[in-house]
Amino acid sequence: MSRGKSFLSGPVIVIVGFILITGRTLRQGTSLHLGKGSDEYRIEVTTVELSEHSMKKLGLREGDKVRIKSAHGSIKAICRRSNLPSEVAFMSCGYRANLLIGSDTEGTGMPSSKGIMVEITRETEEEDEV
Amino acid sequence: MKFEHVVCPLCGCLCDDLELIVERNEVISTKNACALSRSMFLNLNADLAKPLIEGKETGIEACVDKAIGIISKADYPLVYGLASTESNAQRKAVELAELLGGAIDSTSSICHGPTVLGVQMMGEVTCTLGTIMNQADLVVFWGSNPVDAHPRHLTRYSLTPRGLFTPRGRKGRRMIVVDVRETKSSKLADRFIQLKPGTDFEALSSLRALIKGEKIDIDPELKELAEEMKSCEFGALLFGQGLTMSNGKNMNVNAALALVRDLNQHTKFAILPMRGHYNVTGADMVFTWQTGYPFAIDFSLGYPRYGPGEFSVVDLLSRKEVDVALIIASDPVSSLPAQASSYLSEIDTIVIDPNRSMTSEIARVVIPTARAGISAEGTAYRMDGVPIRLKKVLKSPYPSDYEVLCKIVNGVIDGRSKDS
Ligand code: SF4
């Protein structure tokens, strides 16, 4: 049945890249007060959430390391399963995600912190800590 | 010692019903605080700043003198931050930026700056949180996740409280969440509408068309939402950074403001941004009453000029246009895109902050202060623009942000009179 023009989220089968959304999480907000050097905070802002479908497709298990690349930078992150549409990846606001965000504000002062096109791949280099 | 009716200086809800037990100048327990607030109050000493010059610990007076020396010689300094301090300090910061012929911006530009741009273009039909509590039978959260970002919003103002015309509390209220992902807030909602990322503008515009009676071929969920919005007694659209940070930015906000304006032809409806830092609304207010403009202000010509995209922090830093940065109660190294914040380590950066931060790590001078709303009194503006007086509950060995800024302003003026 045709749904006409649709803006609602639906299943996406082919993964060519992800749309990265950044936002606040309670864990990021509470661990912030332990200091930005605290393990809790560091782990929370270094974690990327993906859908179960995307994790399977990329051959990932929770806690695995991934490489996230945008037009502006590249970071390592730890992945966590979440109830997201398969084309969406989510990260807590923080210094890690900010490496992926560009500084063009399109004349508004506001960088585009949500809806960043990224590539996510399984990280194979093991040397340095995430 | 017990302190009652303490205001929480953390998020834009500014809850003013906290109870704190303080022993030996430390908060040992809290009542009515949410998880974020509790974590803040119980870890106040976890990461305190120390007076530093070039990374070496020294006295606070020496730090202030050094800051005056650096800032007096600047060609085009930036004063930035200010959303997590009280309004007297904000006022003094504007005075300093004007005195120096520099630029001033608050974290507003990277949270709800597009909201301000939208409101300047469209106007807004708004109300206070008290009105929502007392009257709203429909609350729509759009691109906002209050459970994580404003944990007591739902229980204090918008969903469960009973008010004058809402005696049934949660039972008499419908909650709708529109977002691109499922969140803890969407799980509490009576209806969750999940959008594709980047389609807020289209969805809001379609709702406007539906509300005007246009027959458009669109998702039935949006049609039902339009009907529900039209038929409520009093609705509130509460939006977050899902609108301001996504593709479209201020145009998304424009569409939301226009939708609410249109809804008022059918019922009563109001719109309110979910502001993050506890006094970011105050920064907009103070900057506006001092200069005529809410953020991204330049004084290089001797009078205030407004320029989001030009005099806003991300643009000034990424274009490397300033030679000194004075950062007050903020951590841009952590919160700005790295392409912009990396410039802070190339120039003379001065930090005024009670806490250590990633910015204080790269700063030439760090001036620790008494934390506003905890160790210093002042006024802050709640997300709906209601000013609330902050209390002092702990002692600090350091002066307040306001006192430090007064010393810097006086130091710059004294230096100039000696030179002339
Ligand atoms: S909701 Fe916000 S203001 Fe209220 S207690 Fe929590 S952090 Fe503080």
Side-chain angles (χ1 to χ4, degrees), chain B residues 8-15 18 32-37 40 149-153 156:
Chain B
C8 171
L10 185 51
C11 87
C13 288
L14 274 183
C15 301
L18 268 55
N32 294 339
C34 70
L36 296 177
S37 170
M40 174 185 73
H150 303 86
R152 294 185 71 210
H153 199 283
R156 242 176 94 73

Side-chain angles (χ1 to χ4, degrees), chain B residues 103-169:
Chain B
I104 187 163
D105 194 18
S106 80
T107 58
S108 204
S109 73
I110 56 155
C111 65
H112 275 279
T115 300
V116 176
L117 297 179
V119 171
Q120 284 172 330
M121 213 182 245
M122 295 289 303
E124 65 180 333
V125 184
T126 194
C127 68
T128 64
L129 292 170
T131 305
I132 293 176
M133 183 187 95
N134 282 307
Q135 297 195 42
D137 61 337
L138 175 69
V139 282
V140 181
F141 287 90
W142 197 302
S144 164
N145 176 15
V147 173
D148 278 278
H150 303 86
R152 294 185 71 210
H153 199 283
L154 298 176
T155 52
R156 242 176 94 73
Y157 305 116
S158 53
L159 186 64
T160 55
R162 292 164 203 268
L164 203 54
F165 303 107
T166 52
R168 295 170 63 227

Side-chain angles (χ1 to χ4, degrees), chain A residues 25-47 78 80 92 95, chain B residues 39 43:
Chain A
T25 63
L26 201 57
R27 232 182 294 185
Q28 171 242 348
T30 51
S31 59
L32 180 69
H33 304 292
L34 305 173
K36 287 184 178 163
S38 69
D39 280 353
E40 287 91 327
Y41 182 79
R42 195 175 51 80
I43 290 170
E44 188 58 16
V45 299
T46 310
T47 298
I78 307 161
R80 180 159 73 201
S92 237
Y95 58 90
Chain B
S39 174
N43 294 293

Side-chain angles (χ1 to χ4, degrees), chain A residues 26 30 36 98 105-106 110, chain B residues 39 148 249 315 331 334:
Chain A
L26 201 57
T30 51
K36 287 184 178 163
N98 279 328
T105 71
E106 299 161 325
M110 168 69 91
Chain B
S39 174
D148 278 278
K249 298 174 188 172
D315 304 275
D331 188 9
S334 158

